[in-house]
């Protein structure tokens, strides 16, 4: 006998209607707030768009060497920022994991993580520019703090999903808490942690470009100056260099994942 298909209860249907109906209402309410009715302006200034497109499709590679040098500086900013973030995220994630730390420690550590990742990079970067001056150091510190909050959350979620068996096995040998983490926790989460860190390095390579707009060094600063000067041919060259760099970073990350995971 063929069983009847599963049926949702009235309460489940009501919850679905409430959730998706609320989502639709929010979309409709935000239609004017996000200025969507003015999307027709995208096609009204066709002459300006043609001029911009003509210059953008005709990049100027006459000074590509210094631009590549600035892109390399941007990658270095992202690399050091990600390294500092991992250095901070590992202890934070262990203290924020409910299966490893007591509740009185988990709650404040998680609030610190919320603070770190909720403040935009540009705001943190501006703060460090005031403290250490213009240059790449401000970008490194800004990326490091913001990314630390993100990675700490991801790392802690990975720790909370581990199998307790290896930890109990290490504990049965009479090992201390540090040995439990070293031999029971880290081997289980290391592959995920590596994947998360590599992904954030890719993201930070783009974030470092944006931080250059506020004077934190790298190719973003040159991009901002070119935009202000309406030098769209140089802007196009910079965009191509950024795309090539991000593609190479992505390929390198994939190779590292295959070798490490």
């Amino acid at each position: 006998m063929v069983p009847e298909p599963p049926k949702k209860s009235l309460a489940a249907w009501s919850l679905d209607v409430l959730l998706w109906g609320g989502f639709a209402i929010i979309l409709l309410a935000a239609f004017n707030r996000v200025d969507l009715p003015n999307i027709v302006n995208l096609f009204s200034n066709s002459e300006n768009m043609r001029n911009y497109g003509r210059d953008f499709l005709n990049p100027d590679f006459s000074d590509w060497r210094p631009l590549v040098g600035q892109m390399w500086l941007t990658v270095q900013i992202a690399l050091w920022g990600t390294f500092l973030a991992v250095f901070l995220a590992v202890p934070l994630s262990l203290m924020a994991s409910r299966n490893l730390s007591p509740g009185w420690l988990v709650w404040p550590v998680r609030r610190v993580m919320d603070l770190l990742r909720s403040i935009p990079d540009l705001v943190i970067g501006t703060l460090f520019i005031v403290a250490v001056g213009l240059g790449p150091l401000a970008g490194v510190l800004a990326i490091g703090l913001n990314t630390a909050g993100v990675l700490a959350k991801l790392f802690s979620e990975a720790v909370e999903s581990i199998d307790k068996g290896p930890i109990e096995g290490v504990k049965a040998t009479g090992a201390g808490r540090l040995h439990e983490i070293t031999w029971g926790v880290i081997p289980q989460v290391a592959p995920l942690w590596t994947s998360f860190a590599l992904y954030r390095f890719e993201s930070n390579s783009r974030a470092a470009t944006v931080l250059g707009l506020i004077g934190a060094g790298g190719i973003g600063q040159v991009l901002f100056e070119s935009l202000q000067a309406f030098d769209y041919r140089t802007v196009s060259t910079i965009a191509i260099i950024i795309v090539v760099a991000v593609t190479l970073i992505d390929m390198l990350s994939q190779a590292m994942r295959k070798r490490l995971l």
Side-chain angles (χ1 to χ4, degrees), residues 1-7:
M1 184 176 180
V2 180
E4 294 185 3
K7 296 181 180 180

Side-chain angles (χ1 to χ4, degrees), residues 119-159:
I119 302 177
D121 292 348
L122 291 175
V123 176
I124 302 179
T126 303
L127 174 65
F128 283 120
I129 284 176
V130 173
V132 302
L134 298 172
L137 178 58
V140 170
L141 296 175
I143 288 176
L145 283 185
N146 183 267
T147 304
V150 176
L151 287 180
K153 177 178 174 59
L154 296 174
F155 286 4
S156 66
E157 290 176 351
V159 171

Side-chain angles (χ1 to χ4, degrees), residues 94 100 167 170 176-187 193:
L94 296 175
L100 294 181
I167 300 178
V170 175
R177 191 63 169 170
L178 183 59
H179 291 90
E180 293 176 20
I181 294 174
T182 303
W183 303 108
V185 177
I186 300 300
W193 282 10

Side-chain angles (χ1 to χ4, degrees), residues 47-58 232 236:
E47 182 63 28
N48 293 336
M49 292 294 293
R50 280 198 298 270
N51 293 335
Y52 180 85
R54 183 180 60 250
D55 291 342
F56 196 80
L57 294 175
N58 187 25
Y232 297 129
S236 177

